[in-house]
Amino acid sequence: MSTAILTGQPVPGSSIEDDLRSLGFEVRTASGTAEAETLLAEVPPQQRVAVVDTRFVGHVHALRLGLTDPRFPISAIPGAVTAQQTGRRALIRAMARENSAAGTHGSSTTLATGLADRIATALDGDGAGVHRPELGSLVAEVPADPQARNEARQAVAAVDDEALRLKSAVKARDGFFTTHFISPYSRYLARWCARRGLTPNQVTTASLITALLAAACAATGTRPGFVAAGVLLMASFVLDCADGQLARYTLRYSTLGAWLDATFDRAKEYAYYAGLALGAARGGDDVWALALGAIILQTCRHVVDFSFSEANRDRTTAGSGPTAALSGRLDSVGWTVWARRMIVLPIGERWAMIAVLTALTTPRITFYALLAGCAVAAAYTTAGRVLRSPARAARLTGREARALADLADSGPLSQALGGPLGNPARRLPGLAAPAVALSGGAAVVATAALTGFGSAWTVLAACAYVLTSALAVARPLTGALDWLVPPFFRAAEYGTVLALAAEADVNGALPAAYGLVAAVAYHHYDTVYRIRGNAGAPPRWLVRATGGHEVRTLLVAVLAAVLTASRFTAALTVLAVAAALVVLVESIRFWASEGAPAVHDEGEPA
């Protein structure tokens, strides 16, 4: 249980004690700063503690936002300040200074009035990073006299606390389909879950199970199965929206929830694509290449978004230039905002399209539409980011360059060659890194696709790819377009696996390749969310164990050259299982640890 320390003289008719208890606080009262400091020292260090002014008047949800959000070590609103275990030491120091000041003035009782706001100001002065939530029309005030108190209470009564809480549960920026066709009722599902004690993680798990059932229905290959799959996929998406809304409604964020939220969307989609491919195979149509192409295109597009975002995290001029100016002018025309959000095919539009086409058409048509939509989205987003990049006046910072290097997923061969290639790389022009990465990747994919299965030329092209990959990252990725290096690496690795599996032309080769790419893509998504949470890249042993992108590409090329098609399929299966086990075990270990960050997607639609 959390503890709230009320400071100051009691206010007749105040509901603050009941409000705090409704939020799970044990309430204690301090008549002066000395007693408040004593009570603070008595609270167990692992508990949240809050200091609240007895004169506080405001909405319960304002208190909830200010005092219970687990994502922030220290938070404050007018009349209240709180600290979790990681922020307790700073709170204790600020309280001690206030108590010392009270002793100097000789009246700790008087100085207890307004103590919470003074502590918050002191914490700001200490650079403690006090979070102050956006309250909007919610009321949170500390009236100085009875008239002001009555006015504040009238302001509280004039605003529907629950309606605002429910509205704030919906993500502020989302896709057109989600905003207009899902969130208007999924928020009520989230509230229904909250009132029955369900957690966001339970709803997330229910969404995953529903999507897996949808995949199983699609795998039947029958029209009733396809119709059921489409319905269940949309039900899974409603639950997927509701879990985030439930987390925002109840402020129940967790590291485990971050991991589930960050990875389950991809797991659901990949399982569903596999179900569609299995269903098509039952009808005599082999669409595994299309399914694998869909996850490759989608993952590469996401890596473009992630890399560009990391390359611009520390700068304030990313929005300058004619492209950004045009975007700003378009923002003033309402319909263009929604059109630009829809063209990137966010998860709501994507799943709605997949569900409808699954129910009404065939898996092949579904994948054709998905590939076309993802291709348009990838072209639009990549072109926009490329046009924005040259407008930046400064090179990337060291933190941004490290993030791009981590996203590159370079293995031991690139690292070993990086030293000898360092000096030549520094003498290359600014656009050399992405140009070298693109040329090497395009060469190995084209060779794998055009020279036939088992060709020694593919091995030579893969060796050249190792060299170009090492050259591309031999110097820090600080150039304006160096954020393109990680997506070029992803396209090269995934594309090579697809091309070689397709050329093998035996049963099971493409499904095995699908499993391998899905496992490696999971590793790349996991890396993204670690970096977003400022936890750094996965440990080096994991990169060495999985080989890095260049070692995996070379290994698959060598296996295709020395093994028969059937044995190559078996080797891909072994690689897929091994990669999945290693990556999942480390991912679960990390996200279940105490040091894992609570990362939640409140930004661009996926």
Side-chain angles (χ1 to χ4, degrees):
M1 177 178 284
S2 303
T3 298
I5 302 172
L6 282 176
T7 62
Q9 297 299 315
V11 177
S14 173
S15 63
I16 185 63
E17 289 194 37
D18 291 337
D19 292 342
L20 289 170
R21 290 192 179 98
S22 72
L23 297 176
F25 284 92
E26 177 185 353
V27 180
R28 300 182 182 182
T29 302
S31 59
T33 54
E35 187 177 0
E37 184 178 17
T38 300
L39 291 176
L40 176 61
E42 292 175 354
V43 177
Q46 70 275 13
Q47 287 188 9
R48 174 188 290 273
V49 63
V51 179
V52 184
D53 197 310
T54 54
R55 299 173 299 164
F56 177 88
V57 176
H59 289 100
V60 176
H61 192 48
L63 287 171
R64 181 181 291 107
L65 291 173
L67 303 183
T68 68
D69 195 326
R71 296 173 296 177
F72 308 103
I74 303 176
S75 299
I77 58 174
V81 62
T82 184
Q84 298 190 79
Q85 182 177 2
T86 53
R88 176 75 70 86
R89 183 172 298 179
L91 179 64
I92 290 174
R93 287 197 300 266
M95 176 72 82
R97 289 201 300 271
E98 288 301 319
N99 189 29
S100 176
T104 300
H105 289 83
S107 177
S108 64
T109 301
T110 301
L111 287 178
T113 301
L115 177 61
D117 287 336
R118 294 201 306 277
I119 289 176
T121 301
L123 289 169
D124 280 331
D126 293 341
V130 180
H131 169 69
R132 286 181 168 80
E134 178 62 45
L135 298 180
S137 56
L138 293 172
V139 176
E141 298 180 8
V142 183
D145 55 64
Q147 180 180 350
R149 187 174 302 115
N150 288 334
E151 291 174 353
R153 288 173 176 171
Q154 291 173 6
V156 170
V159 175
D160 188 337
D161 177 274
E162 176 60 21
L164 283 177
R165 181 186 179 190
L166 194 60
K167 182 179 179 181
S168 66
V170 177
K171 188 187 294 187
R173 178 182 174 85
D174 221 329
F176 178 84
F177 181 80
T178 304
T179 299
H180 295 285
F181 295 96
I182 303 296
S183 292
Y185 61 87
S186 63
R187 69 183 75 180
Y188 295 100
L189 175 61
R191 182 171 66 181
W192 182 89
C193 292
R195 290 176 176 177
R196 282 151 184 81
L198 297 177
T199 67
N201 293 348
Q202 290 171 330
V203 178
T204 301
T205 304
S207 175
L208 174 65
I209 293 172
T210 306
L212 294 178
L213 289 174
C217 290
T220 64
T222 64
R223 180 53 53 195
F226 288 145
V227 172
V231 172
L232 287 171
L233 185 65
M234 288 314 302
S236 174
F237 181 64
V238 172
L239 291 171
D240 183 60
C241 293
D243 67 355
Q245 291 164 358
L246 177 60
R248 288 182 284 273
Y249 183 81
T250 60
L251 297 183
R252 295 181 69 171
Y253 300 102
S254 67
T255 54
L256 177 61
W259 177 67
L260 296 176
D261 183 64
T263 59
F264 274 18
D265 281 350
R266 305 290 87 79
K268 287 181 285 190
E269 266 188 293
Y270 294 173
Y272 191 80
Y273 296 169
L276 279 177
L278 289 170
R282 287 180 179 270
D285 190 11
D286 186 355
V287 297
W288 277 105
L290 298 178
L292 182 50
I295 69 170
I296 291 174
L297 188 55
Q298 185 176 304
T299 303
C300 290
R301 180 176 72 85
H302 283 152
V303 175
V304 167
D305 294 338
F306 297 147
S307 295
F308 183 80
S309 175
E310 289 303 319
N312 288 279
R313 178 183 283 197
D314 296 337
R315 55 201 61 247
T316 58
T317 59
S320 61
T323 305
L326 175 61
S327 178
R329 288 194 295 272
L330 290 175
D331 283 341
S332 63
V333 184
W335 68 268
T336 65
V337 175
W338 291 118
R340 285 183 291 145
R341 291 189 192 178
M342 292 173 67
I343 199 173
V344 300
L345 204 65
I347 189 170
E349 279 77 355
R350 192 165 66 246
W351 282 26
M353 180 185 71
I354 294 170
V356 171
L357 292 177
T358 298
L360 300 180
T361 65
T362 65
R364 180 171 290 274
I365 293 175
T366 301
F367 280 122
Y368 281 154
L370 179 62
L371 286 167
C374 287
V376 171
Y380 173 80
T381 56
T382 304
R385 283 154 173 69
V386 168
L387 290 173
R388 284 172 180 259
S389 296
R392 296 181 313 187
R395 297 173 69 82
L396 273 63
T397 65
R399 197 215 66 82
E400 293 168 338
R402 285 192 299 273
L404 292 182
D406 292 335
L407 289 173
D409 189 29
S410 298
L413 290 182
S414 286
Q415 294 170 12
L417 294 170
L421 293 174
N423 287 332
R426 291 183 180 89
R427 290 194 290 268
L428 293 175
L431 298 179
V436 168
L438 175 61
S439 61
V444 69
V445 174
T447 304
L450 299 176
T451 59
F453 181 79
S455 171
W457 288 107
T458 303
V459 177
L460 292 175
C463 291
Y465 175 69
V466 171
L467 290 173
T468 57
S469 299
L471 182 62
V473 297
R475 68 182 185 189
L477 298 175
T478 58
L481 292 176
D482 283 0
W483 56 268
L484 285 167
V485 171
F488 285 159
F489 286 166
R490 298 295 80 79
E493 179 186 359
Y494 301 163
T496 301
V497 174
L498 170 59
L500 291 174
E503 290 293 331
D505 196 25
V506 294
N507 289 335
L510 282 167
Y514 186 94
L516 177 58
V517 171
V520 175
Y522 174 89
H523 167 57
H524 292 142
Y525 279 110
D526 186 61
T527 300
V528 165
Y529 283 98
R530 292 184 192 226
I531 294 173
R532 282 186 169 184
N534 295 316
R540 292 306 308 169
W541 72 261
L542 180 63
V543 177
R544 289 193 293 270
T546 56
H549 70 94
E550 80 284 0
V551 173
R552 290 190 298 267
T553 303
L554 178 60
L555 177 60
V556 171
V558 170
L559 290 174
V562 301
L563 298 177
T564 63
S566 59
R567 290 184 177 180
F568 175 70
T569 299
L572 285 184
T573 303
V574 171
L575 286 177
V577 172
L581 286 176
V582 172
V583 169
L584 279 172
V585 168
E586 162 55 22
S587 179
I588 293 171
R589 182 208 64 79
F590 172 76
W591 290 104
S593 68
E594 292 183 357
V599 182
H600 297 272
D601 180 17
E602 302 295 341
E604 295 287 344

